[in-house]
Amino acid sequence: MSDLTEATPAGEWLIYRGTGEPHTGIDTLPEPPPWRDFDGSPLVQRGPGQDSSSARRLGAYRHMAEMHRPSPEELEMVNAALYLRRPLLVTGSPGTGKSTLAHAVAYELGLGRVLHWPIVSRSALQDGLYRYDAIGRLQDTQIAANSGTVPPGGIGSYIRLGPLGTALLPTAQPRVLLIDELDKSDIDLPNDLLNVMEEGEFAIPELERLAEREPQVDVLTDDGAKVTVREGRIRCRAFPFVVLTSNGERDFPPPLLRRCIHLELGRPDHKRLSTVVRAHLGDEAATVGDDLVKRFLERSRGELLATDQLLNAIYLTHHAAPPTRSRLADMLIQRLDRPR
């Protein structure tokens, strides 16, 4: 967690100075915000006496999961979804913590990495279930035939399960699946999800056709592991904890709504925002940035803003002195909707 110090005189906090003259600022980069601190292993060889494990940090999602403090209503709806084995539909404005809920549940219950399916206008059910690289298989077959060699692998080498397909594998413990921004999808996807969500299973026709000859086929999962699919069908053992998020930009069909537990997240108040800042940046940041919290709340009454914009502003502006601090905060906290 970053230690907030006294404000730096205007200009001295700049790393990139725009002078066109090389300098060593890249070697003295400050520590990143906790939510942008990733844990990938370094590719360069480490010097003697350096512990490679020290380079591995918590990472953005784990930090959010550790710091998230849900409201009583959130707790009740999450547990209702867990008890009933129903998807949790979470709606609310950007930055209210919709996606964080999935990571918090996975972290606290030890359910592994969250399977993430970000939805765009072109997303289809097939994308979430599995991908079959028929063109790649055809190309490899042709290359092998031309060179007189054996094709590199069977059909399973060209099938990879998507996030939804991986979540429906028959594991002992349920996986956590985040279907993010469902309201960005086309009109058909919410309805297409109904049968899979209700039945907890799906078929891979390419493997079903080969079931008599190849009853067991190894395929890749969204995690990059290999699993065995039997007779071309996948059926879950423990129904996954599914979080569907929506920014409230469209209405969903009643059949989907009745199959979900619905949680509406409202705009956070001063106490909630201060708690979020304190959880991510510490007590000092919450005190120093209280004026920005108040300005954020005032502006959010008439503008669409996101909580992570506030965190960005508080984290960064402690390096700059007034009036730079105030101007920088206004530039970072920009409205997300169009003025009316």
Side-chain angles (χ1 to χ4, degrees), residues 109-130:
L109 301 184
L111 299 179
R113 180 182 77 90
V114 173
L115 297 162
H116 185 204
W117 184 14
I119 301 299
V120 296
S121 59
R122 301 178 305 277
S123 296
L125 180 62
Q126 180 79 19
D127 302 322
L129 293 176
Y130 75 97

PDB file of all heavy atoms in Angstrom, residues 109-130:
ATOM      1  N   LEU A 109     -13.953 -17.879  -0.760  1.00  0.00           N
ATOM      2  CA  LEU A 109     -14.361 -19.289  -0.705  1.00  0.00           C
ATOM      3  C   LEU A 109     -13.333 -20.237  -1.315  1.00  0.00           C
ATOM      4  O   LEU A 109     -13.555 -21.443  -1.356  1.00  0.00           O
ATOM      5  CB  LEU A 109     -15.712 -19.470  -1.405  1.00  0.00           C
ATOM      6  CG  LEU A 109     -16.880 -18.667  -0.834  1.00  0.00           C
ATOM      7  CD1 LEU A 109     -18.172 -19.013  -1.561  1.00  0.00           C
ATOM      8  CD2 LEU A 109     -17.025 -18.905   0.661  1.00  0.00           C
ATOM      9  N   GLY A 110     -12.211 -19.695  -1.797  1.00  0.00           N
ATOM     10  CA  GLY A 110     -11.159 -20.539  -2.349  1.00  0.00           C
ATOM     11  C   GLY A 110     -11.581 -21.291  -3.594  1.00  0.00           C
ATOM     12  O   GLY A 110     -11.258 -22.472  -3.758  1.00  0.00           O
ATOM     13  N   LEU A 111     -12.294 -20.611  -4.513  1.00  0.00           N
ATOM     14  CA  LEU A 111     -12.840 -21.263  -5.703  1.00  0.00           C
ATOM     15  C   LEU A 111     -11.984 -21.047  -6.955  1.00  0.00           C
ATOM     16  O   LEU A 111     -12.436 -21.320  -8.065  1.00  0.00           O
ATOM     17  CB  LEU A 111     -14.273 -20.783  -5.953  1.00  0.00           C
ATOM     18  CG  LEU A 111     -15.261 -21.078  -4.823  1.00  0.00           C
ATOM     19  CD1 LEU A 111     -16.642 -20.547  -5.162  1.00  0.00           C
ATOM     20  CD2 LEU A 111     -15.329 -22.580  -4.538  1.00  0.00           C
ATOM     21  N   GLY A 112     -10.765 -20.568  -6.767  1.00  0.00           N
ATOM     22  CA  GLY A 112      -9.845 -20.449  -7.886  1.00  0.00           C
ATOM     23  C   GLY A 112     -10.031 -19.183  -8.698  1.00  0.00           C
ATOM     24  O   GLY A 112     -10.763 -18.268  -8.318  1.00  0.00           O
ATOM     25  N   ARG A 113      -9.354 -19.161  -9.840  1.00  0.00           N
ATOM     26  CA  ARG A 113      -9.400 -18.007 -10.726  1.00  0.00           C
ATOM     27  C   ARG A 113     -10.818 -17.789 -11.256  1.00  0.00           C
ATOM     28  O   ARG A 113     -11.499 -18.730 -11.628  1.00  0.00           O
ATOM     29  CB  ARG A 113      -8.445 -18.224 -11.902  1.00  0.00           C
ATOM     30  CG  ARG A 113      -8.403 -17.067 -12.905  1.00  0.00           C
ATOM     31  CD  ARG A 113      -7.480 -17.390 -14.066  1.00  0.00           C
ATOM     32  NE  ARG A 113      -8.080 -18.302 -15.018  1.00  0.00           N
ATOM     33  CZ  ARG A 113      -8.797 -17.940 -16.079  1.00  0.00           C
ATOM     34  NH1 ARG A 113      -9.018 -16.658 -16.308  1.00  0.00           N
ATOM     35  NH2 ARG A 113      -9.290 -18.836 -16.915  1.00  0.00           N
ATOM     36  N   VAL A 114     -11.217 -16.523 -11.307  1.00  0.00           N
ATOM     37  CA  VAL A 114     -12.519 -16.196 -11.878  1.00  0.00           C
ATOM     38  C   VAL A 114     -12.449 -16.344 -13.397  1.00  0.00           C
ATOM     39  O   VAL A 114     -11.561 -15.792 -14.057  1.00  0.00           O
ATOM     40  CB  VAL A 114     -12.933 -14.751 -11.515  1.00  0.00           C
ATOM     41  CG1 VAL A 114     -14.200 -14.351 -12.256  1.00  0.00           C
ATOM     42  CG2 VAL A 114     -13.156 -14.638 -10.008  1.00  0.00           C
ATOM     43  N   LEU A 115     -13.377 -17.103 -13.947  1.00  0.00           N
ATOM     44  CA  LEU A 115     -13.499 -17.229 -15.397  1.00  0.00           C
ATOM     45  C   LEU A 115     -14.240 -16.003 -15.918  1.00  0.00           C
ATOM     46  O   LEU A 115     -15.356 -15.718 -15.475  1.00  0.00           O
ATOM     47  CB  LEU A 115     -14.251 -18.506 -15.761  1.00  0.00           C
ATOM     48  CG  LEU A 115     -13.552 -19.799 -15.339  1.00  0.00           C
ATOM     49  CD1 LEU A 115     -14.532 -20.972 -15.336  1.00  0.00           C
ATOM     50  CD2 LEU A 115     -12.360 -20.095 -16.236  1.00  0.00           C
ATOM     51  N   HIS A 116     -13.622 -15.290 -16.849  1.00  0.00           N
ATOM     52  CA  HIS A 116     -14.138 -13.985 -17.256  1.00  0.00           C
ATOM     53  C   HIS A 116     -14.570 -14.020 -18.715  1.00  0.00           C
ATOM     54  O   HIS A 116     -13.773 -14.350 -19.596  1.00  0.00           O
ATOM     55  CB  HIS A 116     -13.056 -12.921 -17.045  1.00  0.00           C
ATOM     56  CG  HIS A 116     -13.525 -11.525 -17.317  1.00  0.00           C
ATOM     57  ND1 HIS A 116     -12.674 -10.494 -17.667  1.00  0.00           N
ATOM     58  CD2 HIS A 116     -14.768 -10.980 -17.288  1.00  0.00           C
ATOM     59  CE1 HIS A 116     -13.367  -9.383 -17.842  1.00  0.00           C
ATOM     60  NE2 HIS A 116     -14.634  -9.655 -17.608  1.00  0.00           N
ATOM     61  N   TRP A 117     -15.826 -13.668 -18.963  1.00  0.00           N
ATOM     62  CA  TRP A 117     -16.348 -13.580 -20.322  1.00  0.00           C
ATOM     63  C   TRP A 117     -16.856 -12.165 -20.545  1.00  0.00           C
ATOM     64  O   TRP A 117     -17.997 -11.845 -20.232  1.00  0.00           O
ATOM     65  CB  TRP A 117     -17.474 -14.595 -20.529  1.00  0.00           C
ATOM     66  CG  TRP A 117     -18.006 -14.636 -21.927  1.00  0.00           C
ATOM     67  CD1 TRP A 117     -17.447 -14.091 -23.046  1.00  0.00           C
ATOM     68  CD2 TRP A 117     -19.237 -15.251 -22.353  1.00  0.00           C
ATOM     69  NE1 TRP A 117     -18.227 -14.332 -24.149  1.00  0.00           N
ATOM     70  CE2 TRP A 117     -19.330 -15.042 -23.758  1.00  0.00           C
ATOM     71  CE3 TRP A 117     -20.238 -15.964 -21.705  1.00  0.00           C
ATOM     72  CZ2 TRP A 117     -20.396 -15.509 -24.508  1.00  0.00           C
ATOM     73  CZ3 TRP A 117     -21.311 -16.432 -22.444  1.00  0.00           C
ATOM     74  CH2 TRP A 117     -21.387 -16.217 -23.829  1.00  0.00           C
ATOM     75  N   PRO A 118     -16.016 -11.268 -21.094  1.00  0.00           N
ATOM     76  CA  PRO A 118     -16.468  -9.902 -21.390  1.00  0.00           C
ATOM     77  C   PRO A 118     -17.334  -9.883 -22.632  1.00  0.00           C
ATOM     78  O   PRO A 118     -16.950 -10.394 -23.685  1.00  0.00           O
ATOM     79  CB  PRO A 118     -15.146  -9.141 -21.613  1.00  0.00           C
ATOM     80  CG  PRO A 118     -14.175 -10.183 -22.054  1.00  0.00           C
ATOM     81  CD  PRO A 118     -14.600 -11.483 -21.419  1.00  0.00           C
ATOM     82  N   ILE A 119     -18.502  -9.298 -22.531  1.00  0.00           N
ATOM     83  CA  ILE A 119     -19.476  -9.325 -23.616  1.00  0.00           C
ATOM     84  C   ILE A 119     -19.342  -8.080 -24.493  1.00  0.00           C
ATOM     85  O   ILE A 119     -19.210  -6.956 -23.986  1.00  0.00           O
ATOM     86  CB  ILE A 119     -20.909  -9.412 -23.056  1.00  0.00           C
ATOM     87  CG1 ILE A 119     -21.066 -10.684 -22.202  1.00  0.00           C
ATOM     88  CG2 ILE A 119     -21.927  -9.416 -24.191  1.00  0.00           C
ATOM     89  CD1 ILE A 119     -20.836 -11.973 -22.942  1.00  0.00           C
ATOM     90  N   VAL A 120     -19.382  -8.292 -25.812  1.00  0.00           N
ATOM     91  CA  VAL A 120     -19.440  -7.200 -26.781  1.00  0.00           C
ATOM     92  C   VAL A 120     -20.629  -7.453 -27.695  1.00  0.00           C
ATOM     93  O   VAL A 120     -21.313  -8.476 -27.571  1.00  0.00           O
ATOM     94  CB  VAL A 120     -18.133  -7.103 -27.603  1.00  0.00           C
ATOM     95  CG1 VAL A 120     -16.952  -6.766 -26.701  1.00  0.00           C
ATOM     96  CG2 VAL A 120     -17.859  -8.398 -28.356  1.00  0.00           C
ATOM     97  N   SER A 121     -20.880  -6.536 -28.609  1.00  0.00           N
ATOM     98  CA  SER A 121     -22.075  -6.650 -29.454  1.00  0.00           C
ATOM     99  C   SER A 121     -22.038  -7.888 -30.339  1.00  0.00           C
ATOM    100  O   SER A 121     -23.088  -8.371 -30.770  1.00  0.00           O
ATOM    101  CB  SER A 121     -22.223  -5.391 -30.323  1.00  0.00           C
ATOM    102  OG  SER A 121     -21.080  -5.217 -31.146  1.00  0.00           O
ATOM    103  N   ARG A 122     -20.844  -8.415 -30.621  1.00  0.00           N
ATOM    104  CA  ARG A 122     -20.734  -9.593 -31.499  1.00  0.00           C
ATOM    105  C   ARG A 122     -20.711 -10.907 -30.732  1.00  0.00           C
ATOM    106  O   ARG A 122     -20.620 -11.982 -31.348  1.00  0.00           O
ATOM    107  CB  ARG A 122     -19.460  -9.488 -32.344  1.00  0.00           C
ATOM    108  CG  ARG A 122     -19.397  -8.249 -33.214  1.00  0.00           C
ATOM    109  CD  ARG A 122     -18.088  -8.180 -33.980  1.00  0.00           C
ATOM    110  NE  ARG A 122     -16.936  -8.268 -33.099  1.00  0.00           N
ATOM    111  CZ  ARG A 122     -16.423  -7.241 -32.446  1.00  0.00           C
ATOM    112  NH1 ARG A 122     -16.960  -6.036 -32.570  1.00  0.00           N
ATOM    113  NH2 ARG A 122     -15.374  -7.390 -31.662  1.00  0.00           N
ATOM    114  N   SER A 123     -20.759 -10.869 -29.412  1.00  0.00           N
ATOM    115  CA  SER A 123     -20.660 -12.095 -28.618  1.00  0.00           C
ATOM    116  C   SER A 123     -21.849 -13.009 -28.859  1.00  0.00           C
ATOM    117  O   SER A 123     -22.997 -12.566 -28.917  1.00  0.00           O
ATOM    118  CB  SER A 123     -20.586 -11.759 -27.115  1.00  0.00           C
ATOM    119  OG  SER A 123     -19.416 -11.025 -26.818  1.00  0.00           O
ATOM    120  N   ALA A 124     -21.558 -14.304 -28.996  1.00  0.00           N
ATOM    121  CA  ALA A 124     -22.601 -15.317 -29.178  1.00  0.00           C
ATOM    122  C   ALA A 124     -22.372 -16.430 -28.164  1.00  0.00           C
ATOM    123  O   ALA A 124     -21.287 -16.565 -27.599  1.00  0.00           O
ATOM    124  CB  ALA A 124     -22.566 -15.880 -30.604  1.00  0.00           C
ATOM    125  N   LEU A 125     -23.410 -17.232 -27.942  1.00  0.00           N
ATOM    126  CA  LEU A 125     -23.314 -18.315 -26.979  1.00  0.00           C
ATOM    127  C   LEU A 125     -22.131 -19.230 -27.286  1.00  0.00           C
ATOM    128  O   LEU A 125     -21.441 -19.688 -26.378  1.00  0.00           O
ATOM    129  CB  LEU A 125     -24.613 -19.122 -26.976  1.00  0.00           C
ATOM    130  CG  LEU A 125     -24.681 -20.317 -26.016  1.00  0.00           C
ATOM    131  CD1 LEU A 125     -24.537 -19.862 -24.582  1.00  0.00           C
ATOM    132  CD2 LEU A 125     -25.977 -21.087 -26.213  1.00  0.00           C
ATOM    133  N   GLN A 126     -21.897 -19.473 -28.569  1.00  0.00           N
ATOM    134  CA  GLN A 126     -20.802 -20.339 -28.984  1.00  0.00           C
ATOM    135  C   GLN A 126     -19.454 -19.844 -28.443  1.00  0.00           C
ATOM    136  O   GLN A 126     -18.598 -20.634 -28.063  1.00  0.00           O
ATOM    137  CB  GLN A 126     -20.745 -20.406 -30.513  1.00  0.00           C
ATOM    138  CG  GLN A 126     -19.637 -21.274 -31.083  1.00  0.00           C
ATOM    139  CD  GLN A 126     -19.981 -22.750 -31.025  1.00  0.00           C
ATOM    140  OE1 GLN A 126     -21.149 -23.102 -30.888  1.00  0.00           O
ATOM    141  NE2 GLN A 126     -18.978 -23.594 -31.108  1.00  0.00           N
ATOM    142  N   ASP A 127     -19.267 -18.516 -28.388  1.00  0.00           N
ATOM    143  CA  ASP A 127     -18.006 -17.957 -27.895  1.00  0.00           C
ATOM    144  C   ASP A 127     -17.759 -18.346 -26.451  1.00  0.00           C
ATOM    145  O   ASP A 127     -16.617 -18.587 -26.047  1.00  0.00           O
ATOM    146  CB  ASP A 127     -18.020 -16.427 -28.016  1.00  0.00           C
ATOM    147  CG  ASP A 127     -18.238 -15.964 -29.437  1.00  0.00           C
ATOM    148  OD1 ASP A 127     -17.696 -16.604 -30.353  1.00  0.00           O
ATOM    149  OD2 ASP A 127     -18.957 -14.961 -29.634  1.00  0.00           O
ATOM    150  N   GLY A 128     -18.817 -18.364 -25.651  1.00  0.00           N
ATOM    151  CA  GLY A 128     -18.659 -18.715 -24.247  1.00  0.00           C
ATOM    152  C   GLY A 128     -18.473 -20.198 -24.013  1.00  0.00           C
ATOM    153  O   GLY A 128     -17.848 -20.597 -23.032  1.00  0.00           O
ATOM    154  N   LEU A 129     -19.037 -21.031 -24.895  1.00  0.00           N
ATOM    155  CA  LEU A 129     -18.980 -22.481 -24.695  1.00  0.00           C
ATOM    156  C   LEU A 129     -17.672 -23.088 -25.188  1.00  0.00           C
ATOM    157  O   LEU A 129     -16.934 -23.713 -24.427  1.00  0.00           O
ATOM    158  CB  LEU A 129     -20.165 -23.148 -25.391  1.00  0.00           C
ATOM    159  CG  LEU A 129     -21.535 -22.841 -24.798  1.00  0.00           C
ATOM    160  CD1 LEU A 129     -22.640 -23.478 -25.647  1.00  0.00           C
ATOM    161  CD2 LEU A 129     -21.630 -23.322 -23.348  1.00  0.00           C
ATOM    162  N   TYR A 130     -17.372 -22.939 -26.460  1.00  0.00           N
ATOM    163  CA  TYR A 130     -16.142 -23.514 -27.004  1.00  0.00           C
ATOM    164  C   TYR A 130     -15.864 -22.948 -28.374  1.00  0.00           C
ATOM    165  O   TYR A 130     -16.738 -22.385 -29.029  1.00  0.00           O
ATOM    166  CB  TYR A 130     -16.226 -25.038 -27.076  1.00  0.00           C
ATOM    167  CG  TYR A 130     -17.091 -25.560 -28.206  1.00  0.00           C
ATOM    168  CD1 TYR A 130     -16.543 -25.965 -29.430  1.00  0.00           C
ATOM    169  CD2 TYR A 130     -18.482 -25.642 -28.069  1.00  0.00           C
ATOM    170  CE1 TYR A 130     -17.349 -26.433 -30.459  1.00  0.00           C
ATOM    171  CE2 TYR A 130     -19.284 -26.109 -29.086  1.00  0.00           C
ATOM    172  CZ  TYR A 130     -18.718 -26.502 -30.286  1.00  0.00           C
ATOM    173  OH  TYR A 130     -19.514 -26.950 -31.308  1.00  0.00           O
TER     174      TYR A 130
END
